[in-house]
C-alpha cells in the first residue's frame, strides 16, 4: 500500500520535488531585431514561455529527453528546434524568418491609388468615392480630387499628368470600357455613365500601371463591381433631375442574386428653375436600365453579369462665334448597350483563374445646324459657315474576351499571365460639305505576363511584359513594366515604377489614314508613402516622355513628341480634428508637347501648372447628418489660336494667353433619418448638394472666330449646380449605398 | 504482493487518466485565474500563449483554444495601438476556428468571441467599418443567444455595444442599462457546466451598469 501512496505521490507530486531543466534564450528576426511576444513551447507539453519586450524568454520544465521546441509568432514562419533535456540549462539564440503576408508586406504604390474595403491598408474606400462633395456621384469626379489629375471642365475624361483625356482608359472587372463617358457635347464635360454604387473597388493609376492592361498612355481607372448584396431590397429615388427605381433579390442560401434598375432623368423642371447659359431646344433626357446577376459558383468562385441599356438626347443652341446674327443648334441622340460577364475561381491549391468578356455598342446621331434669329435653318456656301452644317452617324462596337491565370509561387509571390482579344468596329458616317463613310475594323490581340516577387516583407518587385498587335495599323509592340517597393520601418515605404505604354491613334485620325504607328509614353515614377490607420502621407515624383504623338500637319504623321514631369503630394488625416476626416492633394506639373496642329512644343491647353484640392467630411451623429465639402483650385491654363499659314504651309500661333485660375467650392449634406432605428422597414437618405457655392467665375478656355479677330470664353452652361434628392430603400439598411446617388 | 501488483495494474490506468485530466484542469484553473490580473498587467498575450500550448498538447479540448482566442481578442480591444488590432483579431479568429473544429461546431460561447472579434476589427476605424463589421458582430450575438438563451454574455455584449453607440444611432446609456440589468440577473442564475467553462463577464457588467447611472 505504501507503494501505491508513493506512486500517487509520484504522479501528483508537485514540480518542485523533481529536478528541472531551464530553457532560456533570445529571439531575433532575420535583421537582428528582437521579437517580443513570440510563443515558445515544448511540443505536446504545457511547458513554454512568451518572449518579453527584449525578445528574451526563460522557463523551467520537468520534461526529459529528446524534445521539439516550437517557436511561433504572428508574421513569422514557425521555427522548430530539437533539444535534449536532462536537468540541464539550455541557452538558445534563435532567429525567426518573417513570413511574407499581405498585411505586413510592402505594396507597390508608385503611381496608384487604391480605394477598396477589402484591403485594410488603402488610402480611400468606396464610400469616400461617393461622399466627395464635388463628385456628384460620378466616380471620376472623386478621382479628380486626387493628385495627378486636372480640373478640366470643358471636356470629359481624366487628364492625367500632362496627358489628354483620350490617354486615360477605364476598365470594369478587367475589361476595357469603350464609352465610359456620355458622348461629347461641344465645350461641356460629360459625366461617367456608371453609378459609383456598382463598384466595390477602385484603382486609380496615374502611371506605371500593370501589364494586364494596355492602350492608355497616361493612366488607368480600374473598377471592380460589387459581389452579392447583403439582402433583398427595393429602392426608390426622387430628385430634382429625375426618378429611379430598383430591385435586388438575394436567394435564401445567399449564394446568388439578381437585380434590375431603371432611372429616368429629365432636366426640364431643373432648367426652368436654374437658368442655363445655353438655350436647350431639346432638354437633356436620360433613360438608364440595367440588369444584373451574381452567382457564387463555389466557395471561392464568383460569376457576375451586368448589362445596361441607355438612351439619351439633347439639343442646344449657342451664339455663332463668326456672326452676330447666327446661332448653332447642336443635337445629339445616343444609344448605348454595355454587357459584362466575368468569372473568378480558384483552381486547386495554387491556381486562380479569371475570365471575362464584354460587349458594347455606342451609337451617336449628332448634328449641327446653322440657324438665324428665328431659329430657322440657314445654309451659307462659303467658309467658315459651310462647315457648320454637319451630320454624323457614328457607331462604335467592341467585343472582347480576356483570360488571366495566376499561379501562387509560395508566400504571397505570384505569377500571372494571359491574353485578350478585342474586336473593335467603328462605323463612321459624316456629312458636311462632303459625305464620308468609313468602317474601321480592328482585331486587337494582346498577351501579357506579370510576376509579383516578395523577397521578404520589406522588398517586393513586380516584373511585367505585354505584347500587342493591332490589325488595323498592322503593328506590333512589346513593352517592359517594372516596379519595386522597399519598406522603411513600420509605416513608411518607397516605391519606384518604370514602364512603356503604347496607344493606338484616335478613331478620327485612323479614319483618314491607317499609315500611322502607336503613340508611345515612357513613365518613371518614384514614390514615398507613410501610412497609418488614421493618417496617410504620399509624395510622388514622375517623369514622362512622349514619343510618336500624332501630328496633323503637313499630313497625319507620328512626328509629335513631348514630356511631362512633376511632383505630387497627398495628405489624409482622420485624427487631428475630432470627427473630421480630410485630405489635401497638390500637383505640380511641368509639361510641353508638340502634337496635332501645334507649331512647336507647347504647354497643352488642358494642363495647369498647379492644382490643389481639399476634401472634408464630417458626420454629426446628433443630427444623423454627414457634411461634405471640397475646394479645388488650379492655376490658369494656356489657350492658343493656331492659324494655318498658307504661304509657309504650316500652323502659326497668332494669339495666346492664360485663363483665370479655377476655383470651386462644393458642399453636400446627407441626412439619414432612419439611422439607428431598430430594424427600420425602410431606409431613407436625403441628399442636398451645391457646386461652386461661392459662385466664382470659371473660364476653361477660349474659342476663336474664323478670322481670328474675336475670341470667346468657354464657360460652364451654369455657374452652379443644385441637387436635392430623396432615396428610399425598403428591406435593407443601405445608408452608405444611397448617399449621394445623384443622377 | 501479487495482489498489490494486480491492484496497481487495475488502478494505474485510472489514476494516470485521473492524473492527466487533473493536470489539465489544474493548469486551466490556474491560467483562468490569471486572466483577471491581466487587465492590470496587460500580459494577455502571455496567457493566450499558455492556453494555446495547453490546447496544442491536449488536442481534444476546445476550451484552451477558446480562452486563447478570448485573451487575444481582449488584448486587441483594450490595446491602445489600434494598428495592431487587425492582426490580433485575425489570430483570435484562427484560434476560435480551432476551438469550433474540436467542439464539433460553433456554440453560444464561441459566437460570443466571434462577435468580439468583429468589434475589434470595427474599432480600428469605426466610421468606415461600422457598416461592415457592426452587422457581423450583431449577427454573432443573435446566434449566441439562440444557441443558449440562458447565456448572459451575449446580453452583456449587446449592452456594451449599445453603451458605445451614439444616442442618435439608437444607442446610449438609457438603452444599454436595462440590457446590463438583464445580463446581471442572468449571471445570478447561470451555472457554468464545469469549473473551467466560461463564466466571465459579471464584474464588467456591474462596472458598465454603474457607468450608466
Amino acid at each position: 500500500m505504501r507503494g501505491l501512496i508513493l506512486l500517487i505521490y509520484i504522479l501528483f507530486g508537485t514540480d518542485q520535488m523533481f529536478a528541472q531543466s531551464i530553457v532560456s534564450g533570445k529571439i531575433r528576426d532575420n535583421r537582428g531585431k528582437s521579437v517580443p511576444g513570440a510563443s515558445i513551447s515544448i511540443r505536446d507539453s504545457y511547458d513554454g514561455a512568451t518572449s518579453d519586450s527584449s525578445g528574451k524568454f526563460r522557463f523551467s520544465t520537468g520534461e526529459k529527453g529528446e524534445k521539439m521546441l516550437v517557436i511561433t509568432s504572428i508574421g513569422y514562419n514557425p521555427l522548430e528546434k530539437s533539444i535534449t533535456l536532462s536537468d540541464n540549462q539550455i541557452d538558445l539564440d534563435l532567429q525567426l524568418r518573417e513570413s511574407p503576408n499581405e498585411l505586413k508586406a510592402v505594396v507597390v504604390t508608385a503611381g496608384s491609388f487604391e480605394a477598396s474595403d477589402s484591403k485594410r491598408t488603402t488610402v480611400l474606400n468606396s464610400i469616400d468615392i461617393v461622399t466627395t462633395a464635388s463628385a456628384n456621384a460620378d466616380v471620376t469626379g472623386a478621382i479628380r480630387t486626387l493628385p495627378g489629375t486636372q480640373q478640366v471642365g470643358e471636356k470629359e475624361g481624366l487628364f492625367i499628368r500632362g496627358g489628354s483625356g483620350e490617354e486615360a482608359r477605364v476598365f470594369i472587372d478587367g475589361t476595357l470600357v469603350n464609352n465610359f463617358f456620355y458622348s461629347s457635347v461641344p465645350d461641356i464635360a460629360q459625366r461617367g455613365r456608371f453609378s459609383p454604387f456598382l463598384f466595390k473597388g477602385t484603382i486609380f493609376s496615374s502611371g506605371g500601371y500593370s501589364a494586364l492592361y494596355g492602350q492608355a498612355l497616361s493612366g488607368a481607372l480600374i473598377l471592380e463591381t460589387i459581389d452579392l448584396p447583403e439582402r433583398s431590397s427595393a429602392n426608390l429615388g426622387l430628385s430634382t433631375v429625375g426618378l429611379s427605381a430598383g430591385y435586388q433579390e438575394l436567394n435564401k442560401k445567399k449564394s446568388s442574386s439578381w437585380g434590375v434598375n431603371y432611372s429616368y432623368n429629365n432636366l426640364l423642371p431643373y432648367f426652368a428653375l436654374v437658368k442655363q447659359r445655353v438655350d436647350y431646344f431639346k432638354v437633356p433626357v436620360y433613360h438608364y436600365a440595367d440588369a444584373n446577376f451574381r452567382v457564387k459558383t463555389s466557395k471561392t468562385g464568383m460569376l457576375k453579369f451586368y448589362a445596361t441599356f441607355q438612351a439619351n438626347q439633347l439639343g442646344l443652341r449657342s451664339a455663332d462665334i463668326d456672326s452676330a446674327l447666327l446661332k448653332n443648334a447642336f443635337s445629339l441622340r445616343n444609344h448605348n448597350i454595355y454587357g459584362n460577364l466575368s468569372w473568378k475561381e480558384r483552381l486547386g491549391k495554387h491556381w486562380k483563374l479569371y475570365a471575362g468578356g464584354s460587349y458594347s455598342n455606342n451609337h451617336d446621331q449628332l448634328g449641327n445646324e446653322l440657324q438665324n434669329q428665328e431659329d430657322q435653318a440657314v445654309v451659307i456656301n462659303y467658309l467658315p459657315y459651310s462647315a457648320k452644317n454637319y451630320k454624323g452617324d457614328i457607331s462604335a462596337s467592341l467585343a472582347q474576351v480576356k483570360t488571366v491565370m495566376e499561379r501562387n509561387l509560395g508566400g504571397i509571390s505570384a505569377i500571372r499571365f494571359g491574353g485578350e482579344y478585342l474586336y473593335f468596329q467603328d462605323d463612321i458616317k459624316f456629312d458636311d460639305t462632303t459625305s464620308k463613310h468609313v468602317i474601321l475594323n480592328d482585331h486587337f490581340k494582346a498577351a501579357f505576363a506579370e510576376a509579383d516577387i516578395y523577397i521578404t516583407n520589406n522588398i517586393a518587385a513586380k516584373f511585367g511584359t505585354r505584347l500587342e498587335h493591332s490589325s488595323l495599323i498592322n503593328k506590333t509592340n512589346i513593352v517592359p513594366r517594372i516596379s519595386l517597393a522597399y519598406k522603411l520601418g513600420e509605416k513608411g515605404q518607397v516605391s519606384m515604377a518604370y514602364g512603356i505604354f503604347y496607344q493606338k491613334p484616335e478613331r478620327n485620325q485612323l479614319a483618314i489614314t491607317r499609315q500611322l504607328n502607336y503613340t508611345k509614353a515612357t513613365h518613371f515614377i518614384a514614390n514615398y508613402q507613410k501610412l497609418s490607420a488614421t493618417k496617410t502621407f504620399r509624395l510622388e515624383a514622375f517623369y514622362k516622355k512622349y514619343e510618336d504623338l500624332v501630328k496633323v500637319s503637313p499630313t497625319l504623321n507620328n512626328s509629335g513628341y513631348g514630356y511631362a514631369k512633376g511632383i505630387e503630394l497627398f495628405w489624409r488625416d482622420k485624427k487631428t480634428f475630432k470627427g473630421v476626416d480630410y485630405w489635401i492633394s497638390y500637383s505640380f506639373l511641368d509639361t510641353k508637347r508638340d502634337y496635332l496642329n501645334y507649331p512647336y512644343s507647347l504647354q497643352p491647353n488642358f494642363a495647369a501648372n498647379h492644382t490643389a484640392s481639399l476634401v472634408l467630411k464630417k458626420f454629426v451623429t446628433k443630427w444623423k447628418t454627414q457634411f461634405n465639402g471640397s475646394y479645388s483650385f488650379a492655376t490658369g491654363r494656356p489657350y492658343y489660336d493656331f492659324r494655318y499659314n498658307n504661304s509657309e504651309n504650316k500652323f502659326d500661333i497668332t494669339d495666346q494667353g492664360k485663363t483665370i485660375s479655377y476655383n470651386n467650392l462644393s458642399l453636400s449634406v446627407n441626412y439619414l433619418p432612419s439611422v439607428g432605428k431598430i430594424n427600420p422597414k425602410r431606409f431613407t437618405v436625403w441628399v442636398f448638394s451645391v457646386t461652386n457655392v461661392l459662385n466664382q467665375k470659371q473660364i476653361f478656355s477660349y474659342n476663336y472666330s474664323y478670322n481670328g479677330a474675336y475670341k470667346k470664353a468657354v464657360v460652364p452652361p451654369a455657374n452652379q449646380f443644385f441637387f436635392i434628392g430623396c432615396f428610399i430603400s425598403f428591406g435593407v439598411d443601405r445608408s452608405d449605398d444611397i448617399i449621394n446617388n445623384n443622377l | 504482493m501479487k495482489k498489490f501488483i494486480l491492484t496497481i495494474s487495475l488502478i494505474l490506468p485510472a489514476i494516470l487518466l485521473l492524473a492527466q485530466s487533473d493536470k489539465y484542469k489544474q493548469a486551466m484553473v490556474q491560467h483562468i485565474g490569471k486572466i483577471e490580473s491581466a487587465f492590470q498587467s496587460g500580459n494577455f498575450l502571455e496567457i493566450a500563449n499558455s492556453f494555446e500550448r495547453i490546447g496544442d498538447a491536449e488536442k481534444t479540448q476546445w476550451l484552451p483554444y477558446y480562452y486563447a482566442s478570448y485573451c487575444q481578442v481582449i488584448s486587441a480591444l483594450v490595446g491602445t495601438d489600434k494598428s495592431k488590432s487587425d492582426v490580433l483579431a485575425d489570430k483570435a479568429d484562427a484560434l476560435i476556428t480551432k476551438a469550433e473544429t474540436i467542439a464539433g461546431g460553433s456554440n453560444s460561447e464561441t459566437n460570443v468571441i466571434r462577435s468580439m472579434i468583429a468589434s475589434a476589427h470595427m474599432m480600428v476605424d469605426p466610421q468606415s467599418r461600422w457598416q461592415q463589421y457592426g452587422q457581423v458582430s450583431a449577427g454573432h450575438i443573435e446566434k449566441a443567444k439562440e444557441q443558449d438563451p440562458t447565456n448572459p454574455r451575449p446580453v452583456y455584449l449587446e449592452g456594451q455595444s449599445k453603451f458605445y453607440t451614439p444616442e442618435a444611432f439608437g444607442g446610449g446609456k438609457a438603452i444599454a442599462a436595462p440590457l446590463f440589468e438583464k445580463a446581471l440577473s442572468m449571471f445570478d442564475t447561470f451555472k457554468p457546466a464545469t469549473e473551467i467553462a466560461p463564466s466571465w463577464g459579471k464584474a464588467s457588467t456591474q462596472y458598465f451598469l454603474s457607468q450608466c447611472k
Side-chain angles (χ1 to χ4, degrees):
Chain A
M1 205 61 231
R2 241 185 324 175
L4 181 63
I5 289 167
L6 184 68
L7 185 76
I8 289 171
Y9 210 39
I10 287 170
L11 290 170
F12 296 131
T14 49
D15 287 349
Q16 282 75 24
M17 291 189 47
F18 300 98
Q20 296 268 309
S21 300
I22 307 278
V23 184
S24 63
K26 188 169 161 65
I27 300 176
R28 288 179 237 262
D29 66 9
N30 35 359
R31 283 180 303 167
K33 262 180 61 187
S34 54
V35 179
S39 172
I40 301 99
S41 62
I42 293 175
R43 177 165 294 160
D44 295 337
S45 104
Y46 292 6
D47 299 339
T50 299
S51 63
D52 65 13
S53 57
S54 59
K56 292 199 181 87
F57 68 91
R58 183 190 172 91
F59 67 96
S60 58
T61 174
E63 299 283 334
K64 296 273 180 292
E66 193 82 4
K67 291 287 167 193
M68 191 58 85
L69 196 68
V70 184
I71 299 98
T72 56
S73 181
I74 299 173
Y76 296 91
N77 292 331
L79 176 73
E80 296 191 352
K81 192 170 169 59
S82 122
I83 50 172
T84 310
L85 297 167
S86 53
D87 310 347
N88 49 350
Q89 280 221 19
I90 299 179
D91 195 48
L92 298 158
D93 204 347
L94 299 161
Q95 199 180 61
L96 289 178
R97 278 190 61 90
E98 243 188 359
S99 65
N101 76 36
E102 276 168 22
L103 284 180
K104 282 182 79 175
V106 65
V107 196
V108 175
T109 49
S112 77
F113 270 91
E114 185 162 359
S116 91
D117 303 333
S118 53
K119 294 211 175 64
R120 288 173 186 162
T121 50
T122 51
V123 175
L124 306 163
N125 58 26
S126 54
I127 199 70
D128 289 327
I129 301 272
V130 297
T131 54
T132 300
S134 56
N136 275 320
D138 183 357
V139 180
T140 50
I143 299 294
R144 269 188 273 271
T145 65
L146 296 178
T149 55
Q150 293 287 322
Q151 301 289 346
V152 173
E154 71 277 23
K155 195 169 184 304
E156 57 284 346
L158 285 167
F159 292 75
I160 304 169
R161 292 182 172 171
S164 71
E166 292 83 10
E167 293 174 23
R169 288 297 178 84
V170 185
F171 300 86
I172 293 181
D173 288 341
T175 49
L176 173 71
V177 185
N178 212 11
N179 302 88
F180 183 79
F181 296 94
Y182 284 107
S183 303
S184 287
V185 173
D187 296 336
I188 305 173
Q190 298 299 299
R191 301 167 49 85
R193 292 177 177 274
F194 300 89
S195 154
F197 302 102
L198 288 169
F199 308 110
K200 64 167 185 175
T202 305
I203 297 172
F204 168 57
S205 169
S206 47
Y209 58 88
S210 151
L212 269 56
Y213 304 96
Q215 290 297 300
L217 279 191
S218 284
L221 180 62
I222 298 160
L223 303 166
E224 189 182 353
T225 58
I226 45 177
D227 296 335
L228 294 170
E230 310 231 319
R231 65 176 104 152
S232 303
S233 68
N235 311 293
L236 275 180
L238 184 66
S239 77
T240 43
V241 294
L243 41 95
S244 63
Y247 181 71
Q248 287 285 335
E249 181 159 310
L250 178 69
N251 71 347
K252 277 218 164 59
K253 285 197 313 196
K254 296 194 172 182
S255 61
S256 70
S257 75
W258 63 270
V260 286
N261 294 287
Y262 170 74
S263 76
Y264 170 76
N265 288 314
N266 184 325
L267 284 111
L268 185 72
Y270 180 78
F271 286 171
L273 285 167
V274 181
K275 202 171 154 13
Q276 303 292 300
R277 287 198 179 91
V278 287
D279 162 26
Y280 283 94
F281 59 89
K282 254 193 287 187
V283 164
V285 171
Y286 301 86
H287 294 270
Y288 165 98
D290 81 28
N292 63 68
F293 67 78
R294 306 176 186 114
V295 183
K296 266 186 104 144
T297 49
S298 71
K299 216 171 167 170
T300 53
M302 184 64 119
L303 181 76
K304 293 190 224 178
F305 172 79
Y306 165 79
T308 154
F309 172 77
Q310 299 174 33
N312 51 77
Q313 60 168 33
L314 57 81
L316 50 94
R317 278 192 200 96
S318 50
D320 183 57
I321 195 165
D322 293 304
S323 126
L325 300 171
L326 296 172
K327 299 190 237 184
N328 282 293
F330 174 85
S331 63
L332 170 71
R333 282 172 68 93
N334 168 268
H335 294 96
N336 183 286
I337 297 171
Y338 173 84
N340 184 323
L341 182 70
S342 69
W343 184 44
K344 264 185 174 161
E345 184 65 274
R346 220 175 244 282
L347 304 170
K349 231 178 121 164
H350 296 293
W351 289 93
K352 273 189 200 149
L353 163 80
Y354 162 82
S358 88
Y359 172 80
S360 67
N361 173 274
N362 184 74
H363 187 199
D364 286 326
Q365 288 156 292
L366 50 91
N368 194 64
E369 195 175 65
L370 207 55
Q371 294 183 341
N372 60 18
Q373 290 299 305
E374 285 73 50
D375 302 340
Q376 270 138 3
V378 177
V379 177
I380 302 174
N381 284 328
Y382 54 86
L383 281 172
Y385 305 106
S386 55
K388 295 193 186 193
N389 280 308
Y390 63 79
K391 259 202 188 70
D393 187 333
I394 300 159
S395 155
S397 306
L398 167 61
Q400 62 183 319
V401 286
K402 183 172 185 171
T403 311
V404 185
M405 294 292 292
E406 181 177 320
R407 170 108 175 49
N408 183 310
L409 302 173
I412 46 174
S413 299
I415 184 161
R416 280 177 288 277
F417 55 88
E420 57 187 342
Y421 165 71
L422 295 87
Y423 175 47
F424 295 89
Q425 186 177 65
D426 293 297
D427 185 324
I428 307 162
K429 290 194 194 80
F430 199 81
D431 305 335
D432 48 4
T433 46
T434 58
S435 286
K436 306 169 198 71
H437 183 195
V438 184
I439 297 177
L440 299 172
N441 287 311
D442 188 9
H443 298 274
F444 189 91
K445 296 172 277 300
F448 42 80
E450 179 179 83
D452 291 347
I453 308 293
Y454 287 84
I455 296 136
T456 64
N457 271 341
N458 301 313
I459 185 157
K462 201 190 255 289
F463 301 100
T465 180
R466 185 177 173 91
L467 172 77
E468 296 176 332
H469 177 264
S470 156
S471 70
L472 186 63
I473 56 174
N474 195 16
K475 295 274 194 307
T476 305
N477 71 63
I478 182 163
V479 298
R481 310 256 172 101
I482 299 164
S483 23
L484 303 165
Y486 181 71
K487 205 165 183 170
L488 305 161
E490 189 85 347
K491 294 167 183 158
Q493 60 163 63
V494 285
S495 63
M496 270 162 285
Y498 158 81
I500 294 178
F501 301 83
Y502 286 104
Q503 186 170 345
K504 274 190 316 191
E506 289 307 300
R507 182 174 64 187
N508 54 0
Q509 296 161 347
L510 292 166
I512 298 165
T513 174
R514 327 274 189 278
Q515 302 306 312
L516 287 169
N517 207 334
Y518 295 107
T519 55
K520 179 182 173 187
T522 311
H523 298 187
F524 300 88
I525 303 165
N527 158 300
Y528 170 77
Q529 174 171 302
K530 195 168 177 185
L531 185 86
S532 71
T534 51
K535 290 179 182 170
T536 308
F537 172 77
R538 275 172 67 114
L539 184 65
E540 188 155 303
F542 68 92
Y543 174 76
K544 192 154 75 167
K545 186 175 168 201
Y546 283 105
E547 293 162 273
D548 306 332
L549 296 178
V550 176
K551 280 193 65 75
V552 297
S553 160
T555 55
L556 280 176
N557 64 70
N558 282 95
S559 65
Y561 62 93
Y563 74 86
K565 55 182 193 267
I567 289 177
E568 293 162 5
L569 192 86
F570 178 84
W571 165 248
R572 183 172 190 178
D573 171 2
K574 302 179 184 179
K575 196 173 173 178
T576 310
F577 307 103
K578 200 169 160 37
V580 177
D581 174 7
Y582 72 95
W583 74 72
I584 295 169
S585 59
Y586 164 75
S587 318
F588 165 71
L589 171 68
D590 166 13
T591 180
K592 280 190 172 157
R593 57 166 58 196
D594 177 7
Y595 89 136
L596 300 181
N597 54 359
Y598 286 27
Y600 45 88
S601 181
L602 298 163
Q603 181 171 339
N605 59 0
F606 49 77
N609 294 112
H610 304 274
T611 308
S613 286
L614 165 68
V615 176
L616 274 161
K617 299 167 190 227
K618 178 163 178 62
F619 195 94
V620 180
T621 316
K622 219 162 56 192
W623 302 341
K624 304 182 180 185
T625 303
Q626 171 151 352
F627 295 91
N628 308 301
S630 71
Y631 195 100
S632 291
F633 166 84
T635 49
R637 288 186 270 133
Y639 60 88
Y640 307 98
D641 184 21
F642 300 123
R643 307 188 66 75
Y644 197 70
N645 180 330
N646 282 318
S647 57
E648 292 182 36
N649 284 334
K650 68 177 186 60
F651 280 95
D652 288 336
I653 301 179
T654 49
D655 187 43
Q656 59 179 306
K658 249 193 177 152
T659 63
I660 55 167
S661 62
Y662 170 88
N663 292 277
N664 178 10
L665 171 68
S666 294
L667 291 175
S668 77
V669 176
N670 307 318
Y671 171 56
L672 297 81
S674 328
V675 156
K677 295 230 172 83
I678 315 290
N679 301 327
K681 289 259 181 307
R682 61 171 191 270
F683 198 90
T684 311
V685 178
W686 286 87
V687 180
F688 170 71
S689 74
V690 190
T691 61
N692 196 6
V693 177
L694 304 176
N695 208 0
Q696 286 158 300
K697 193 172 182 183
Q698 296 174 349
I699 295 177
F700 299 135
S701 183
Y702 285 86
N703 289 330
Y704 284 86
S705 61
Y706 184 70
N707 59 11
Y710 172 65
K711 72 178 178 195
K712 189 173 151 195
V714 175
V715 292
N719 278 2
Q720 296 172 298
F721 180 72
F722 302 90
F723 180 88
I724 301 168
C726 173
F727 303 93
I728 308 169
S729 163
F730 300 89
V732 60
D733 176 342
R734 283 178 53 196
S735 39
D736 291 355
D737 238 47
I738 5 182
I739 285 175
N740 226 357
N741 198 349
N742 309 4
L743 293 177
Chain B
M1 193 68 212
K2 244 198 236 168
K3 207 171 167 187
F4 173 68
I5 289 172
L6 187 70
T7 314
I8 288 289
S9 64
L10 282 172
I11 286 177
L12 195 63
I15 285 179
L16 277 172
L17 204 68
L18 197 71
Q20 184 56 34
S21 68
D22 208 69
K23 179 186 168 197
Y24 164 68
K25 201 169 270 182
Q26 252 187 352
M28 289 296 284
V29 169
Q30 187 196 347
H31 288 300
I32 291 166
K34 282 185 188 168
I35 295 175
E36 201 61 44
S37 64
F39 280 97
Q40 273 75 49
S41 63
N43 59 347
F44 283 107
L45 292 185
E46 203 174 309
I47 303 169
N49 286 340
S50 304
F51 278 119
E52 197 179 349
R53 284 199 298 274
I54 298 171
D56 289 346
E58 288 294 336
K59 297 184 175 57
T60 57
Q61 302 282 359
W62 68 275
L63 279 172
Y65 288 128
Y66 163 89
Y67 279 109
S69 180
Y70 171 71
C71 291
Q72 289 276 3
V73 74
I74 287 282
S75 74
L77 288 165
V78 301
T80 44
D81 184 358
K82 290 295 175 213
S83 66
K84 293 199 170 77
S85 289
D86 277 332
V87 178
L88 292 167
D90 283 344
K91 172 82 181 172
D93 198 290
L95 288 164
I96 204 70
T97 304
K98 273 186 180 174
E100 285 180 349
T101 310
I102 294 169
S106 76
N107 57 45
S108 182
E109 300 296 353
T110 62
N111 271 308
V112 164
I113 303 290
R114 287 208 178 274
S115 166
M116 292 164 82
I117 290 170
S119 298
H121 281 305
M122 186 176 79
M123 295 306 282
V124 175
D125 185 0
Q127 266 203 302
S128 58
R129 292 187 180 187
W130 173 72
Q131 193 77 7
Q132 185 190 354
Y133 287 110
Q135 277 193 333
V136 177
S137 181
H140 284 298
I141 287 178
E142 286 310 309
K143 212 162 167 189
K145 278 195 209 163
E146 266 169 51
Q147 286 168 323
D148 181 359
T150 68
N151 187 353
R153 272 165 292 283
V155 182
Y156 152 67
L157 281 187
E158 194 180 1
Q160 198 185 355
S161 103
K162 287 279 181 274
F163 182 87
Y164 286 117
T165 304
E167 272 172 45
F169 281 26
K173 291 176 182 177
I175 308 264
L179 285 162
F180 289 130
E181 275 159 10
K182 186 181 166 192
L184 215 50
S185 69
M186 288 169 81
F187 273 114
D188 292 333
T189 53
F190 182 80
K191 290 276 177 291
T194 62
E195 63 177 314
I196 56 170
S199 64
W200 56 269
K202 189 173 175 176
S204 311
T205 308
Q206 281 164 331
Y207 166 78
F208 274 105
L209 195 55
S210 72
Q211 293 296 305
C212 287
K213 300 227 159 74

